[in-house]
Structures are given as C-alpha cells and as structure tokens.
Amino acid sequence: MFKTNANLLKTLFLIGLFLISCSKDDHENSSGYSESFVNLATHQLKAYSVSKKSKYLIVCESGLGDGHESWMPSGEKSELIDFSSAVNSDILIYDRAGYGKSGIDNKQRDINTLRIELEAMIDKYAKGRKVILIGHSLGGMIIRDYAIKNPDKSAAILFIDPMHEKYNNPEAASIVYDAFVKAYGANFAGAKEAKEITTDLAYGSSLPILPNIPVVVLTSMKPDENNNTADEINKQNREKWFEAHEQLGKGITDFTHIATVKSGHYIHHDEPELVIDNIKFLISKLP
C-alpha cells in the first residue's frame, strides 16, 4: 500500500468518499490461507483468501486508492485469518487492476469494468456458493452493481460508508483526479478509477433497486475534519450523506441502517467490532 504524508492522507480520504484460471504462488496452509493469481483475458488479479469450506463466501471490495491492505492493514496474513475466524466463514479479498501485484489493461476503469472483474473473481472462488458482499466507499458502488446484475448469486450486503450519487458531487471529480495524478501519476490505478467518477455517478443514478436480500449500511457521522471537508467539497452535509445511504433500502424488506459517530470514513479500521458484529448479523439471517 502506498505511503502518504498527513496532508495527502486528508486528500485521499476525500477521494475515498467519492467515493479464468488460477495459479497458486503460496500453497494453502493449515489455516486455510492462500494467495493466488486469477487470470483474466488481458491481465492477472492478485487474490488473498482463507478457506473454511463455509456455506457462503464473504467478498470484500476496497475503496478508491486502496488495495487489499484496506482489509489487512498490518500486511500480515494472520489479520485475514483472524477475520475469517471471527465470522467463521471463507473470506476473499483482492487487489483490483493496477494495485499491488495485479496487472491492468487499457480499458476505462469505470464501475461496469470493475464489476465485470469482480464477477470473474467471485466465479473462481465461490464454487457455486452465494456470496456476502462487503464494500467500502467506491467498493460500495461496485458491489451494488454486482448484486443487481447477479441477484441469484448474492446472499447479503454490508455497505461501509459507500459512495452514492445522491451525495457525491460530479463537479468535485477533477479535484480527486488531480490529487491522484499529482501524488502518483496518471498511470496509477487510483487515478484511472478517479478519472471515471463523473461517469460512475451517472451510472449509479441509472441503477435499479437492489435485489430483496438482507442489507446493512454503516454510515460515518463523526464530526471530524475529514468529514467536514468532504461535506464542503461535495456541497453537502452529514445529514445528506445519511439520507443518500437510506436510498439503498428502497424495496428491501430486511434493511438495517446504522450511523456511528465513533468512526471516520474507514469504519472497518476504527470500529472493526462493529463490522464483525454486522457480518454475523447478516449470516444469522441466511438459511
């Protein structure tokens, strides 16, 4: 994961708000942990997983600018193993194209493309099982698109402070893109994804409602500097952020929306127990 200074971290936080074969390079050990490459038509994606042969596969999708370390920030595999043990389920995380050791092609890195690549990852690892989708920030829109396009493969959804077209301002897209280009260059995966933000927000507006499966949304209402700045550049406020996330519950008979003032945008870092508890909550609702 790239390193940042304090000012850049603040900028990247705002960015986050906006926000097939397999070759093993680390054989599965007794813990069930393994690292693999999934071969797409034009490039490979690096996957990290823990297998417990559970009924459902949990798949985590990172936010803009983040690789797999968003879910195991220490970089130690024990973190993912512990995550899997805490929810007693198989876990899959991966680096989207251009992050970490994953390759990248020349396609536009918009939501449609990212969802297609997520489909390839899930098809490889699910082995016919339904998936519990977890998405942070930009990842929230990716899993939302996946669930809509693949309702029969989706068991439940946990959104963690997800990007939403009712809050995020297309006019601020250039700020996000310019920040990534200045920090890492135009070829950085985050910059390529940020370039499509305006397109993604319009795409989100065109999406139908989610399939009627259990859904939980975690929303950061913490009055910290980062959230205040995000509200400013998006010309919104925390109440509008919460209201945007409420839209995800349309047509859902089992919808839970939780606001927290204890966490910033990275709720899974600040309050991991809240995330774990709600994954267990979703699992308890499934047959």
Side-chain angles (χ1 to χ4, degrees):
M1 191 173 183
F2 50 84
K3 304 296 183 182
T4 61
N5 59 36
N7 289 332
L8 189 53
L9 275 172
K10 178 177 177 180
T11 301
L12 294 182
F13 170 84
L14 302 177
I15 290 169
L17 275 183
F18 239 94
L19 338 136
I20 296 206
S21 63
C22 184
S23 57
K24 294 285 182 71
D25 63 8
D26 183 3
H27 294 292
E28 185 176 306
N29 56 33
S30 60
S31 68
Y33 176 87
S34 66
E35 298 180 14
S36 307
F37 282 99
V38 174
N39 298 320
L40 307 183
T42 57
H43 56 287
Q44 294 182 319
L45 299 181
K46 181 68 179 288
Y48 304 78
S49 64
V50 178
S51 174
K52 290 182 173 293
K53 297 179 171 54
S54 57
K55 184 175 181 180
Y56 300 96
L57 172 66
I58 294 175
V59 182
C60 300
E61 190 67 66
S62 304
L64 179 63
D66 292 330
H68 72 278
E69 297 94 336
S70 183
W71 307 101
M72 43 190 295
S74 72
E76 298 295 330
K77 65 182 182 182
S78 60
E79 209 163 9
L80 192 61
I81 294 169
D82 290 345
F83 181 11
S84 175
S85 295
V87 295
N88 195 30
S89 298
D90 291 9
I91 301 282
L92 170 65
I93 63 176
Y94 72 105
D95 286 322
R96 287 198 300 273
Y99 294 99
K101 295 181 180 179
S102 290
I104 193 167
D105 60 15
N106 294 320
K107 291 182 180 178
Q108 292 181 326
R109 309 306 300 168
D110 56 18
I111 294 296
N112 186 61
T113 297
L114 302 182
R115 185 257 309 158
I116 289 171
E117 294 187 356
L118 174 60
E119 288 173 338
M121 299 299 293
I122 290 175
D123 287 347
K124 185 63 188 179
Y125 283 87
K127 301 185 186 303
R129 295 173 292 176
K130 288 190 175 184
V131 295
I132 298 170
L133 300 158
I134 303 176
H136 171 240
S137 199
L138 175 70
M141 187 169 284
I142 300 171
I143 65 168
R144 177 179 160 197
D145 194 31
Y146 177 91
I148 290 168
K149 301 293 194 305
N150 300 275
D152 294 337
K153 297 180 180 180
S154 305
I157 303 174
L158 174 60
F159 291 105
I160 302 176
D161 231 28
M163 168 179 164
H164 199 282
E165 65 277 2
K166 293 293 185 181
Y167 170 92
N168 293 110
N169 184 357
E171 295 177 7
S174 61
I175 298 174
V176 179
Y177 175 71
D178 290 345
F180 266 137
V181 171
K182 183 177 180 179
Y184 306 109
N187 290 323
F188 174 58
K192 289 178 179 292
E193 291 176 352
K195 190 175 182 179
E196 306 303 324
I197 288 174
T198 299
T199 299
D200 291 341
L201 295 176
Y203 184 79
S205 296
S206 73
L207 289 175
I209 62 174
L210 288 163
N212 192 19
I213 58 178
V215 174
V216 172
V217 184
L218 304 180
T219 299
S220 170
M221 298 293 285
K222 187 176 183 179
D224 61 13
E225 182 180 3
N226 286 329
N227 280 350
N228 291 339
T229 305
D231 289 342
E232 182 180 348
I233 70 164
N234 284 291
K235 300 178 182 179
Q236 300 280 15
N237 54 45
R238 285 295 91 186
E239 287 69 30
K240 294 295 184 181
W241 183 232
F242 185 88
E243 290 172 10
H245 292 168
E246 276 284 297
Q247 299 298 308
L248 295 168
K250 285 186 176 179
I252 305 297
T253 56
D254 192 344
F255 178 73
T256 304
H257 190 181
I258 299 170
T260 176
V261 295
K262 296 180 179 179
S263 299
H265 185 49
Y266 285 79
I267 298 173
H268 51 309
H269 293 180
D270 296 340
E271 288 184 273
E273 69 284 351
L274 180 63
V275 173
I276 295 295
D277 287 347
N278 278 284
I279 294 173
K280 291 178 178 179
F281 176 64
L282 287 171
I283 293 173
S284 74
K285 294 175 173 292
L286 301 178

